[in-house]
Amino acid sequence: MAKRRVGTTVALTLVCVLVCGIAFAGAVFVLMPGARDRGTTASAGGSPTPNGPGPRPNQSPTQNPTPSLPAPSEEPLPGVDTPATPPPSTPVANTGTYECPGFSGIQLPVSMVMADTFAWGDDPPSKVGNGNGDIDWRSNPYQKPSWYMWLHSLRWLGNGIDAGKRGDRKTLRHVLAIIEDWVRDNPYSWKGDVGAWEATMHRTNVLLCARQAVLTGTRVSALPSQYAWLDKALIDHAQFMIVNWSGTANHGTDESIALFGVGCTLKRPELRKLAVDRLTQAISTAIDPQGSTNEQSVGYAMFNYLLWGRATTALQRCGANPGPVIAQRRAALSEWLALATKSTGELPQVGDAVRQKPVGAAGTALDYVASLGKRGTKPSKRVAVFDAGYIFGRTGWGETRPFAQESTYSIRYGAARRLHGHDDHMSITYASHGRDVLIDPGHSGYQLDKWQAWTKSAAAHNVMTIPSADTAPVETRLLRASITPTWESYSLADSPAPGVTRRRDVLVLKDPDLVVTLDRGQATSSQRYETLWHLAPDQKVTVQSPTAAVAMKPGDKSKTYLLQIPYQQQPPADGITVVQGQQDPVQGWYYPDIFHRQSAPVVKFNRTGTSAAVLSAIVPAGTSEAVTYKTRTVSGMFFVDLTVGARKATIRILADGRLSRIS
């Protein structure tokens, strides 16, 4: 189980998924209290009606008064709120019960729970109650949406609930006092408080876990009458999730699992059936037949893999048949994630994602990459192009060189940005020589600020940007793809602003391992064009000329040449600039997780005019290896002869920009 250092930081070692689940939107949307007030509301203590409205539509951002409230689709903390092991790959026994899913990364020491003290993220602990379980549920000392939502999730009571389950009745009484205080101070319906609202599915699981702790810790088989309020609260939570279902994305899936838990625990077949129906509807949206998710995020692909494993386990344990589709789609997603995994053993930070490792069931392709090729099943493909807008490729799976010494890459295209996606179309991530070469700067969290705006923008990705134009997220087309044993090439095109077109041709080579791109921009008026290359924070960049820069970590055994090869246009005197740690405008940063920001270099290849042609070569090499190139034109075709140490390659550029390797 992921561990959190209370009040200081978070240990980010695993994948992005909550045991008690969440679903997060790309921005912090704060809704007015009545924005989602639809459907029939149950009276206090009433019976839930399993026929509420469909999924709520997307809402527009609004401003809300203090206290600051969380996103309406607040997600897990990728890499923090993650179980240590995935759900079992084989069916579980039908016990007729719903197992407490645990509390994951937001647990506090029992001493803090007993002192009514809450902490989240890297902010200092805050006393939120009087020490007797009377909590100020409007507390939000740091004015952070996530802090407020997680307070209302009650997941921070996990260690106290576990202590009560082991027989610590004093702790159990205090935990139940806090839960009952929440129920009393936040009567149904709590839609007027977005923090309470968005935490509903998490809190439902906490209530279920607390109910189990009462039975086990006090050694009784039926809930004592003094805790009847707990079952009433569960009915209210079920009704809330029926009426306010989030739909077929992962937030709604998490709600359906919690709803199923209430139905299983309280022996309410109508709730179980509604939950199963919703899960059946959601799986085809959540994961397509190729294994891609609808989240536009590699981190949330990992989240969905674990989420649907948890759904399967919950259904089987309580005697419901999950059907074949979930297993089929999860198997495809396992292969997808394995192909996405870098040679470093981590997932690329594409979309809203932090630095994290994959987690896979024993014997799967995910298990293979998580173990760096030591266990599991090797994926059948080396390169894959997915209709949802992802390309993943690698030089191999460790057959002829160590797994970690292979080179791996990702490329984005497809539908315009949505959900957890970034404006990263045409962007490339690249790992080689056992390290990250081209990075995605990551995910800054949920605050609506300049940092979030930047991490989602094109300027935070390895693309040609047009900062002088009024660009917007748009669909990017994959025009062609060629895959051979020693190279792959791709052509992509879009129009990011009125009167502006952009095209990128990509060539990825094996032996020597390197990436070549040809970026071309065309506009009806003069524009500034910048092809950006984001490098890891430990890299130090030296600009050698308007056409060459070298990046290297001091003392490392490898370096990266960033070459701007003259093609159709001569690079200007400021053809290469480097930005690092800039705040206005934001540029040159990296987020390993949402709590920490590191200065990181960005190399810019610059042009100005109505058109631009930027031919780049990103060449990792050993520190003792020389990298040189020569260019020539033959019969209207442009050739680049590249030498990396003793290895050579010749690249051909056709008149339409297509790249290929000819030797």
Side-chain angles (χ1 to χ4, degrees):
M1 183 172 291
K3 297 180 180 178
R4 182 182 297 269
R5 189 174 69 196
V6 175
T8 306
T9 186
V10 181
L12 291 155
T13 55
L14 296 174
V15 263
C16 85
V17 65
L18 294 177
V19 169
C20 296
I22 354 184
F24 77 103
V28 176
F29 295 103
V30 179
L31 305 184
M32 298 306 290
R36 299 191 200 178
D37 192 0
R38 288 192 296 277
T40 303
T41 304
S43 60
S47 178
T49 54
N51 55 359
R56 57 192 182 230
N58 293 332
Q59 306 290 335
S60 299
T62 65
Q63 296 298 318
N64 218 42
T66 303
S68 175
L69 299 176
S73 293
E74 186 74 47
E75 272 283 337
L77 300 174
V80 181
D81 298 312
T82 304
T85 57
S89 56
T90 55
V92 298
N94 176 7
T95 62
T97 62
Y98 179 78
E99 185 174 75
C100 172
F103 310 96
S104 197
I106 311 182
Q107 295 187 63
L108 306 179
V110 170
S111 59
M112 289 181 63
V113 173
M114 296 296 285
D116 294 349
T117 299
F118 175 68
W120 179 83
D122 57 355
D123 291 311
S126 176
K127 190 172 179 63
V128 293
N130 66 355
N132 295 315
D134 185 2
I135 307 298
D136 177 6
W137 296 108
R138 307 288 83 77
S139 296
N140 191 6
Y142 307 109
Q143 295 299 295
K144 290 186 176 180
S146 295
W147 193 100
Y148 188 79
M149 195 278 289
W150 291 121
L151 173 70
H152 280 261
S153 77
L154 302 183
R155 288 178 54 205
W156 53 284
L157 304 178
N159 280 328
I161 292 173
D162 285 343
K165 188 174 183 179
R166 294 191 299 268
D168 183 344
R169 298 197 179 191
K170 179 181 178 181
T171 300
L172 181 60
R173 284 194 297 271
H174 190 84
V175 166
L176 289 169
I178 293 175
I179 297 173
E180 187 175 16
D181 186 68
W182 189 94
V183 172
R184 184 169 49 248
D185 290 355
N186 299 273
Y188 188 94
S189 166
W190 42 87
K191 280 187 293 221
D193 186 328
V194 181
W197 169 14
E198 290 303 332
T200 298
M201 60 187 174
H202 310 293
R203 193 170 50 252
T204 302
N205 276 306
V206 173
L207 267 59
L208 289 167
C209 294
R211 189 184 193 280
Q212 294 171 19
V214 170
L215 300 179
T216 303
T218 59
R219 300 182 180 180
V220 296
S221 58
L223 191 70
S225 59
Q226 66 264 39
Y227 298 120
W229 60 267
L230 190 53
D231 281 357
K232 174 183 175 297
L234 284 170
I235 291 295
D236 284 347
H237 279 65
Q239 178 64 24
F240 191 96
M241 291 184 291
I242 290 171
V243 175
N244 299 281
W245 183 40
S246 297
T248 57
N250 63 18
H251 196 92
T253 299
D254 241 324
E255 292 167 351
S256 297
I257 297 172
L259 179 64
F260 183 84
V262 177
C264 179
T265 299
L266 300 186
K267 311 304 181 188
R268 301 290 292 266
E270 76 281 9
L271 299 184
R272 288 186 11 159
K273 182 180 184 304
L274 177 61
V276 172
D277 289 346
R278 286 180 172 181
L279 289 169
T280 301
Q281 180 182 350
I283 183 60
S284 60
T285 299
I287 309 170
D288 73 17
Q290 293 181 326
S292 301
T293 74
N294 61 340
E295 305 292 343
Q296 292 193 347
S297 160
V298 172
Y300 286 95
M302 188 72 247
F303 170 74
N304 262 342
Y305 176 77
L306 294 170
L307 175 68
W308 284 97
R310 186 160 61 83
T312 300
T313 299
L315 296 180
Q316 291 173 340
R317 184 169 280 120
C318 200
N321 182 3
V325 178
I326 295 176
Q328 292 166 357
R329 298 291 172 94
R330 284 190 79 230
L333 177 54
S334 175
E335 185 90 0
W336 189 99
L337 285 162
L339 288 162
T341 302
K342 301 181 294 185
S343 53
T344 60
E346 296 176 330
L347 293 167
Q349 289 176 246
V350 174
D352 285 342
V354 301
R355 191 170 182 177
Q356 58 195 284
K357 294 181 180 180
V359 180
T364 63
L366 260 182
D367 191 33
Y368 185 85
V369 296
S371 66
L372 301 182
K374 297 180 178 65
R375 303 185 305 271
T377 304
K378 183 176 71 174
S380 59
K381 299 177 182 178
R382 182 179 63 84
V383 180
V385 178
F386 295 95
D387 295 341
Y390 296 88
I391 301 169
F392 301 126
R394 59 202 310 121
T395 52
W397 293 105
E399 299 95 338
T400 60
R401 50 173 137 166
F403 185 98
Q405 293 300 311
E406 300 283 8
S407 296
T408 51
Y409 64 93
S410 72
I411 304 174
R412 281 282 285 124
Y413 70 99
R417 186 183 79 196
R418 64 187 298 269
L419 295 177
H420 309 307
H422 290 182
D423 194 6
D424 58 1
H425 287 24
M426 301 190 184
S427 185
I428 302 168
T429 68
Y430 189 55
S432 186
H433 287 62
R435 61 180 176 84
D436 286 318
V437 176
L438 300 175
I439 67 167
D440 184 303
H443 172 38
S444 67
Y446 308 106
Q447 298 287 84
L448 277 176
D449 55 21
K450 66 179 183 180
W451 303 105
Q452 186 196 75
W454 174 74
T455 56
K456 291 181 176 295
S457 73
H461 299 89
N462 299 308
V463 298
M464 171 182 270
T465 63
I466 305 97
S468 55
D470 186 15
T471 59
V474 295
E475 178 185 4
T476 300
R477 293 168 292 134
L478 176 64
L479 303 178
R480 61 176 64 90
S482 298
I483 300 171
T484 80
T486 62
W487 59 272
E488 296 90 57
S489 69
Y490 310 96
S491 297
L492 307 106
D494 62 21
S495 179
V500 178
T501 59
R502 184 177 64 159
R503 173 160 170 169
R504 166 167 278 187
D505 284 85
V506 183
L507 178 67
V508 186
L509 300 192
K510 175 182 179 180
D511 295 326
D513 297 2
L514 56 89
V515 176
V516 177
T517 64
L518 174 58
D519 289 311
R520 286 170 292 165
Q522 185 73 42
T524 54
S525 60
S526 182
Q527 302 288 348
R528 173 75 169 179
Y529 300 91
E530 297 176 350
T531 291
L532 309 181
W533 302 114
H534 292 259
L535 307 177
D538 59 6
Q539 297 294 295
K540 306 298 180 184
V541 180
T542 301
V543 177
Q544 297 182 331
S545 72
T547 61
V550 178
M552 181 178 176
K553 176 183 176 182
D556 203 357
K557 296 181 180 179
S558 64
K559 56 189 173 182
T560 301
Y561 285 83
L562 298 102
L563 306 176
Q564 183 177 197
I565 301 172
Y567 174 75
Q568 295 184 346
Q569 298 173 331
Q570 190 66 29
D574 69 341
I576 296 182
T577 55
V578 180
V579 178
Q580 183 165 354
Q582 180 176 286
Q583 295 206 26
D584 187 18
V586 175
Q587 188 56 281
W589 301 92
Y590 168 64
Y591 283 86
D593 59 77
I594 69 171
F595 301 111
H596 301 92
R597 181 173 62 244
Q598 302 172 11
S599 173
V602 179
V603 177
K604 295 184 177 184
F605 293 170
N606 307 308
R607 296 286 191 279
T608 300
T610 55
S611 64
V614 180
L615 179 60
S616 308
I618 310 301
V619 187
T623 52
S624 61
E625 290 183 310
V627 175
T628 61
Y629 69 87
K630 295 180 179 179
T631 63
R632 50 195 169 91
T633 301
V634 179
S635 301
M637 295 181 291
F638 189 83
F639 295 86
V640 181
D641 299 309
L642 267 165
T643 301
V644 183
R647 294 163 295 171
K648 297 182 179 180
T650 296
I651 297 160
R652 180 182 64 191
I653 306 176
L654 297 180
D656 64 359
R658 279 183 290 171
L659 304 174
S660 61
R661 180 182 189 171
I662 62 172
S663 70

